[in-house]
Amino acid sequence: MFAEMTNYYFLNDILEKLPNSVEEKKEISKDLIFNFANFNTTSWFYKGYKIKKDKYKLYKKLESENFDLFFINLLSELSIRLTDDDLNYERLIFLYGIYTNHLLMTKLKSYILSLKSSTTNLYEAYNMIDYYLANKYEDINLKEVDLRNRFEDGFNYYEYQDNLLHNPLLVTYNMFLSKEYLRKSYKKKARFFELYGDSKFGFRKKLFRFISIFYKNVMSPHYFYKDKIDTKILNIPKLNYDIGEKKHNLNLIEFIDELEKEAIKTIEGINDYLFNNNDKKIRKIFNIPKERKM
C-alpha cells in the first residue's frame, strides 16, 4: 500500500541508532512507532470505501513542496509545547515520524521509478519491498500476517496530534483542520486493514479481487501482499540509475541505509535545537534564513 512496514523499520532503526545523549531513551511501543511512522498517509483513508470528497487532503499537503516550511513551523510549535510530562517523548516520536516518512517516501518513490519493471505498479512495488524486508528482518510472511492485529494499538488517534498540527497547518497551508478529520481517518484506516487483513482460507482476498474488476480504485488487488517480487527494485547487481541529477548504484538495503544516516543527522539537529537551544544545524539543513525567528 504505502510501504507501511518499510516506514516502520526505517523509524525503528533510526530510534535505535540515535545517540543516548539526545535524551534519556524511554521504552516506546512498537505499535506507536508503526502509527507515527505512517502518519503522513493516514488521511488518505478518510474517504473510506465510498466516493467521498476530502476537502483537506492532508496526505497531499505532507508530500508537497511546502513540506519543509510546514515542518519548521511544526518544530517551532513543538518547542513551545515541550513539557516534562510522559507525553513529551511521544510528541517527539510523532515529529520524527512525520519527517522520516516524508524523506523515505519521497526518495523511495524516485528509486522505484528508476528501477522497476514496466509491468510493476508503484503501489505493488511498495508492497514488494515491505514483503522483502519483513522476511529479511523478522522472517515473517506478510501474506499470512494481519497488520491490524500485529500492531493492535498502531491505529489509535491521540489528541496531542491535533494540538501540534493546528497552528503549523494554518500558517503554512491556510488550513483549519477539524478534529474529527483525524479521528475519522484513523478509524477508517483501522477498518481498511481489518478488511484487507488475511482470512483463514484467503476468501476475503478472492472476494476483493473479484470486486476490484468493477471498482478498481476501492478494492484494488495492489493492496494485497504477494510473494512474487520484481527483483529489479532490489538492484542486487548494483546497476546505475539516476535520481534527479545524481547517479547512484546502491542496492535497496544500501539506499535505505544512506537515508537513515541522513535522517539521523537531521534529527540530531532537531534535538540540538529543542534541548540545547542551538539552531545552527537545523538552519543549515533546511536552509532557514538568519532573519527568520525559530
Side-chain angles (χ1 to χ4, degrees), residues 6-7 12 35 45 49 66 109 114 130 144 204 208 224 230 245 266 273 281:
T6 305
N7 276 289
N12 189 60
N35 182 336
F45 298 90
Y49 317 104
N66 287 330
K109 179 180 179 179
S114 297
D130 270 7
E144 301 173 356
R204 199 177 295 159
F208 283 4
F224 298 114
D230 179 357
E245 298 179 355
T266 300
Y273 165 67
K281 291 179 183 177

PDB file of all heavy atoms in Angstrom, residues 6-7 12 35 45 49 66 109 114 130 144 204 208 224 230 245 266 273 281:
ATOM      1  N   THR A   6       7.947  -0.843   5.702  1.00  0.00           N
ATOM      2  CA  THR A   6       9.238  -0.211   5.388  1.00  0.00           C
ATOM      3  C   THR A   6       9.407   1.056   6.216  1.00  0.00           C
ATOM      4  O   THR A   6      10.481   1.313   6.776  1.00  0.00           O
ATOM      5  CB  THR A   6       9.318   0.119   3.890  1.00  0.00           C
ATOM      6  OG1 THR A   6       9.081  -1.077   3.127  1.00  0.00           O
ATOM      7  CG2 THR A   6      10.686   0.674   3.525  1.00  0.00           C
ATOM      8  N   ASN A   7       8.349   1.858   6.317  1.00  0.00           N
ATOM      9  CA  ASN A   7       8.400   3.066   7.143  1.00  0.00           C
ATOM     10  C   ASN A   7       8.576   2.723   8.615  1.00  0.00           C
ATOM     11  O   ASN A   7       9.292   3.430   9.338  1.00  0.00           O
ATOM     12  CB  ASN A   7       7.119   3.890   6.944  1.00  0.00           C
ATOM     13  CG  ASN A   7       7.194   4.787   5.726  1.00  0.00           C
ATOM     14  OD1 ASN A   7       7.922   5.775   5.721  1.00  0.00           O
ATOM     15  ND2 ASN A   7       6.455   4.435   4.689  1.00  0.00           N
ATOM     16  N   ASN A  12      12.048   2.815  13.297  1.00  0.00           N
ATOM     17  CA  ASN A  12      12.505   1.988  14.413  1.00  0.00           C
ATOM     18  C   ASN A  12      14.031   1.898  14.443  1.00  0.00           C
ATOM     19  O   ASN A  12      14.659   2.028  15.503  1.00  0.00           O
ATOM     20  CB  ASN A  12      11.893   0.595  14.316  1.00  0.00           C
ATOM     21  CG  ASN A  12      12.143  -0.236  15.559  1.00  0.00           C
ATOM     22  OD1 ASN A  12      11.748   0.126  16.657  1.00  0.00           O
ATOM     23  ND2 ASN A  12      12.823  -1.366  15.400  1.00  0.00           N
ATOM     24  N   ASN A  35       2.483   3.489  14.127  1.00  0.00           N
ATOM     25  CA  ASN A  35       1.496   4.549  13.953  1.00  0.00           C
ATOM     26  C   ASN A  35       2.149   5.810  13.400  1.00  0.00           C
ATOM     27  O   ASN A  35       1.757   6.322  12.341  1.00  0.00           O
ATOM     28  CB  ASN A  35       0.841   4.831  15.313  1.00  0.00           C
ATOM     29  CG  ASN A  35      -0.256   5.886  15.242  1.00  0.00           C
ATOM     30  OD1 ASN A  35      -0.296   6.731  14.358  1.00  0.00           O
ATOM     31  ND2 ASN A  35      -1.148   5.859  16.211  1.00  0.00           N
ATOM     32  N   PHE A  45      -7.106   7.555   4.057  1.00  0.00           N
ATOM     33  CA  PHE A  45      -8.196   6.628   4.356  1.00  0.00           C
ATOM     34  C   PHE A  45      -9.487   7.344   4.758  1.00  0.00           C
ATOM     35  O   PHE A  45     -10.515   6.700   4.946  1.00  0.00           O
ATOM     36  CB  PHE A  45      -7.773   5.675   5.483  1.00  0.00           C
ATOM     37  CG  PHE A  45      -6.591   4.820   5.108  1.00  0.00           C
ATOM     38  CD1 PHE A  45      -5.291   5.259   5.357  1.00  0.00           C
ATOM     39  CD2 PHE A  45      -6.759   3.593   4.499  1.00  0.00           C
ATOM     40  CE1 PHE A  45      -4.190   4.484   5.010  1.00  0.00           C
ATOM     41  CE2 PHE A  45      -5.678   2.818   4.139  1.00  0.00           C
ATOM     42  CZ  PHE A  45      -4.388   3.264   4.390  1.00  0.00           C
ATOM     43  N   TYR A  49     -14.460   3.830   1.719  1.00  0.00           N
ATOM     44  CA  TYR A  49     -14.704   2.973   0.561  1.00  0.00           C
ATOM     45  C   TYR A  49     -15.782   3.546  -0.348  1.00  0.00           C
ATOM     46  O   TYR A  49     -16.249   2.891  -1.260  1.00  0.00           O
ATOM     47  CB  TYR A  49     -15.132   1.566   1.038  1.00  0.00           C
ATOM     48  CG  TYR A  49     -14.289   1.110   2.183  1.00  0.00           C
ATOM     49  CD1 TYR A  49     -14.782   1.133   3.491  1.00  0.00           C
ATOM     50  CD2 TYR A  49     -12.970   0.712   1.977  1.00  0.00           C
ATOM     51  CE1 TYR A  49     -13.980   0.750   4.542  1.00  0.00           C
ATOM     52  CE2 TYR A  49     -12.174   0.337   3.025  1.00  0.00           C
ATOM     53  CZ  TYR A  49     -12.683   0.358   4.308  1.00  0.00           C
ATOM     54  OH  TYR A  49     -11.893  -0.008   5.358  1.00  0.00           O
ATOM     55  N   ASN A  66       5.931  22.454  -0.094  1.00  0.00           N
ATOM     56  CA  ASN A  66       5.946  23.300   1.108  1.00  0.00           C
ATOM     57  C   ASN A  66       6.180  22.500   2.387  1.00  0.00           C
ATOM     58  O   ASN A  66       6.034  23.050   3.480  1.00  0.00           O
ATOM     59  CB  ASN A  66       4.625  24.065   1.233  1.00  0.00           C
ATOM     60  CG  ASN A  66       4.514  25.189   0.228  1.00  0.00           C
ATOM     61  OD1 ASN A  66       5.523  25.766  -0.177  1.00  0.00           O
ATOM     62  ND2 ASN A  66       3.306  25.488  -0.186  1.00  0.00           N
ATOM     63  N   LYS A 109      10.216   6.582  -3.744  1.00  0.00           N
ATOM     64  CA  LYS A 109       9.418   6.667  -4.974  1.00  0.00           C
ATOM     65  C   LYS A 109      10.328   6.886  -6.180  1.00  0.00           C
ATOM     66  O   LYS A 109      10.187   6.214  -7.219  1.00  0.00           O
ATOM     67  CB  LYS A 109       8.402   7.802  -4.867  1.00  0.00           C
ATOM     68  CG  LYS A 109       7.548   7.971  -6.116  1.00  0.00           C
ATOM     69  CD  LYS A 109       6.553   9.113  -5.945  1.00  0.00           C
ATOM     70  CE  LYS A 109       5.709   9.295  -7.199  1.00  0.00           C
ATOM     71  NZ  LYS A 109       4.723  10.404  -7.033  1.00  0.00           N
ATOM     72  N   SER A 114      12.930   4.557 -10.984  1.00  0.00           N
ATOM     73  CA  SER A 114      14.157   4.465 -11.778  1.00  0.00           C
ATOM     74  C   SER A 114      14.521   3.023 -12.119  1.00  0.00           C
ATOM     75  O   SER A 114      15.252   2.783 -13.071  1.00  0.00           O
ATOM     76  CB  SER A 114      15.327   5.100 -11.020  1.00  0.00           C
ATOM     77  OG  SER A 114      15.109   6.470 -10.804  1.00  0.00           O
ATOM     78  N   ASP A 130       7.994  -4.072   1.245  1.00  0.00           N
ATOM     79  CA  ASP A 130       7.507  -4.465   2.578  1.00  0.00           C
ATOM     80  C   ASP A 130       7.692  -5.958   2.800  1.00  0.00           C
ATOM     81  O   ASP A 130       8.193  -6.389   3.851  1.00  0.00           O
ATOM     82  CB  ASP A 130       6.019  -4.129   2.710  1.00  0.00           C
ATOM     83  CG  ASP A 130       5.773  -2.732   3.257  1.00  0.00           C
ATOM     84  OD1 ASP A 130       6.742  -1.978   3.419  1.00  0.00           O
ATOM     85  OD2 ASP A 130       4.600  -2.402   3.521  1.00  0.00           O
ATOM     86  N   GLU A 144       0.636 -13.830   5.330  1.00  0.00           N
ATOM     87  CA  GLU A 144      -0.020 -14.582   6.403  1.00  0.00           C
ATOM     88  C   GLU A 144      -0.161 -13.763   7.679  1.00  0.00           C
ATOM     89  O   GLU A 144      -0.505 -14.298   8.737  1.00  0.00           O
ATOM     90  CB  GLU A 144       0.788 -15.852   6.698  1.00  0.00           C
ATOM     91  CG  GLU A 144       0.932 -16.762   5.481  1.00  0.00           C
ATOM     92  CD  GLU A 144       1.877 -17.920   5.726  1.00  0.00           C
ATOM     93  OE1 GLU A 144       2.481 -17.960   6.825  1.00  0.00           O
ATOM     94  OE2 GLU A 144       2.016 -18.764   4.829  1.00  0.00           O
ATOM     95  N   ARG A 204     -11.455 -13.692   1.725  1.00  0.00           N
ATOM     96  CA  ARG A 204     -11.616 -12.248   1.634  1.00  0.00           C
ATOM     97  C   ARG A 204     -10.826 -11.679   0.456  1.00  0.00           C
ATOM     98  O   ARG A 204     -11.325 -10.837  -0.292  1.00  0.00           O
ATOM     99  CB  ARG A 204     -11.139 -11.613   2.941  1.00  0.00           C
ATOM    100  CG  ARG A 204     -11.656 -10.220   3.179  1.00  0.00           C
ATOM    101  CD  ARG A 204     -11.186  -9.715   4.513  1.00  0.00           C
ATOM    102  NE  ARG A 204     -11.745 -10.480   5.610  1.00  0.00           N
ATOM    103  CZ  ARG A 204     -11.219 -10.518   6.824  1.00  0.00           C
ATOM    104  NH1 ARG A 204     -10.139  -9.832   7.080  1.00  0.00           N
ATOM    105  NH2 ARG A 204     -11.790 -11.228   7.774  1.00  0.00           N
ATOM    106  N   PHE A 208     -12.363  -9.700  -2.767  1.00  0.00           N
ATOM    107  CA  PHE A 208     -11.976  -8.334  -3.106  1.00  0.00           C
ATOM    108  C   PHE A 208     -11.358  -8.252  -4.492  1.00  0.00           C
ATOM    109  O   PHE A 208     -11.526  -7.263  -5.195  1.00  0.00           O
ATOM    110  CB  PHE A 208     -10.992  -7.792  -2.050  1.00  0.00           C
ATOM    111  CG  PHE A 208     -11.673  -7.376  -0.776  1.00  0.00           C
ATOM    112  CD1 PHE A 208     -13.030  -7.565  -0.606  1.00  0.00           C
ATOM    113  CD2 PHE A 208     -10.955  -6.791   0.243  1.00  0.00           C
ATOM    114  CE1 PHE A 208     -13.664  -7.190   0.559  1.00  0.00           C
ATOM    115  CE2 PHE A 208     -11.578  -6.407   1.425  1.00  0.00           C
ATOM    116  CZ  PHE A 208     -12.934  -6.605   1.577  1.00  0.00           C
ATOM    117  N   PHE A 224      -2.880  -5.969  -1.702  1.00  0.00           N
ATOM    118  CA  PHE A 224      -2.526  -7.247  -1.097  1.00  0.00           C
ATOM    119  C   PHE A 224      -1.041  -7.555  -1.276  1.00  0.00           C
ATOM    120  O   PHE A 224      -0.439  -7.197  -2.287  1.00  0.00           O
ATOM    121  CB  PHE A 224      -3.342  -8.385  -1.710  1.00  0.00           C
ATOM    122  CG  PHE A 224      -4.819  -8.248  -1.482  1.00  0.00           C
ATOM    123  CD1 PHE A 224      -5.684  -8.032  -2.529  1.00  0.00           C
ATOM    124  CD2 PHE A 224      -5.338  -8.326  -0.200  1.00  0.00           C
ATOM    125  CE1 PHE A 224      -7.047  -7.906  -2.320  1.00  0.00           C
ATOM    126  CE2 PHE A 224      -6.696  -8.206   0.025  1.00  0.00           C
ATOM    127  CZ  PHE A 224      -7.557  -7.994  -1.041  1.00  0.00           C
ATOM    128  N   ASP A 230       9.456  -8.082  -7.889  1.00  0.00           N
ATOM    129  CA  ASP A 230      10.176  -7.541  -9.048  1.00  0.00           C
ATOM    130  C   ASP A 230      11.628  -7.332  -8.599  1.00  0.00           C
ATOM    131  O   ASP A 230      11.938  -6.363  -7.911  1.00  0.00           O
ATOM    132  CB  ASP A 230       9.532  -6.221  -9.480  1.00  0.00           C
ATOM    133  CG  ASP A 230      10.236  -5.573 -10.670  1.00  0.00           C
ATOM    134  OD1 ASP A 230      11.259  -6.121 -11.124  1.00  0.00           O
ATOM    135  OD2 ASP A 230       9.749  -4.525 -11.135  1.00  0.00           O
ATOM    136  N   GLU A 245      19.467  14.764 -10.552  1.00  0.00           N
ATOM    137  CA  GLU A 245      20.693  14.958 -11.340  1.00  0.00           C
ATOM    138  C   GLU A 245      21.838  14.088 -10.842  1.00  0.00           C
ATOM    139  O   GLU A 245      22.948  14.161 -11.369  1.00  0.00           O
ATOM    140  CB  GLU A 245      21.093  16.431 -11.296  1.00  0.00           C
ATOM    141  CG  GLU A 245      20.054  17.371 -11.908  1.00  0.00           C
ATOM    142  CD  GLU A 245      20.476  18.816 -11.834  1.00  0.00           C
ATOM    143  OE1 GLU A 245      21.536  19.086 -11.217  1.00  0.00           O
ATOM    144  OE2 GLU A 245      19.763  19.676 -12.383  1.00  0.00           O
ATOM    145  N   THR A 266      19.680  14.821  10.607  1.00  0.00           N
ATOM    146  CA  THR A 266      18.647  15.847  10.744  1.00  0.00           C
ATOM    147  C   THR A 266      18.022  15.824  12.136  1.00  0.00           C
ATOM    148  O   THR A 266      17.820  16.871  12.760  1.00  0.00           O
ATOM    149  CB  THR A 266      17.545  15.640   9.683  1.00  0.00           C
ATOM    150  OG1 THR A 266      18.126  15.737   8.377  1.00  0.00           O
ATOM    151  CG2 THR A 266      16.449  16.691   9.821  1.00  0.00           C
ATOM    152  N   TYR A 273      18.368  21.766  18.668  1.00  0.00           N
ATOM    153  CA  TYR A 273      17.541  22.967  18.761  1.00  0.00           C
ATOM    154  C   TYR A 273      16.571  22.881  19.941  1.00  0.00           C
ATOM    155  O   TYR A 273      16.440  23.821  20.736  1.00  0.00           O
ATOM    156  CB  TYR A 273      16.774  23.173  17.454  1.00  0.00           C
ATOM    157  CG  TYR A 273      15.640  24.162  17.563  1.00  0.00           C
ATOM    158  CD1 TYR A 273      15.891  25.513  17.795  1.00  0.00           C
ATOM    159  CD2 TYR A 273      14.318  23.749  17.450  1.00  0.00           C
ATOM    160  CE1 TYR A 273      14.852  26.425  17.912  1.00  0.00           C
ATOM    161  CE2 TYR A 273      13.273  24.653  17.561  1.00  0.00           C
ATOM    162  CZ  TYR A 273      13.542  25.988  17.793  1.00  0.00           C
ATOM    163  OH  TYR A 273      12.516  26.887  17.911  1.00  0.00           O
ATOM    164  N   LYS A 281      22.496  23.832  13.236  1.00  0.00           N
ATOM    165  CA  LYS A 281      22.394  22.661  12.364  1.00  0.00           C
ATOM    166  C   LYS A 281      21.082  22.655  11.589  1.00  0.00           C
ATOM    167  O   LYS A 281      21.056  22.389  10.397  1.00  0.00           O
ATOM    168  CB  LYS A 281      22.514  21.375  13.197  1.00  0.00           C
ATOM    169  CG  LYS A 281      23.874  21.135  13.780  1.00  0.00           C
ATOM    170  CD  LYS A 281      23.890  19.845  14.604  1.00  0.00           C
ATOM    171  CE  LYS A 281      25.237  19.619  15.261  1.00  0.00           C
ATOM    172  NZ  LYS A 281      25.218  18.396  16.121  1.00  0.00           N
TER     173      LYS A 281
END
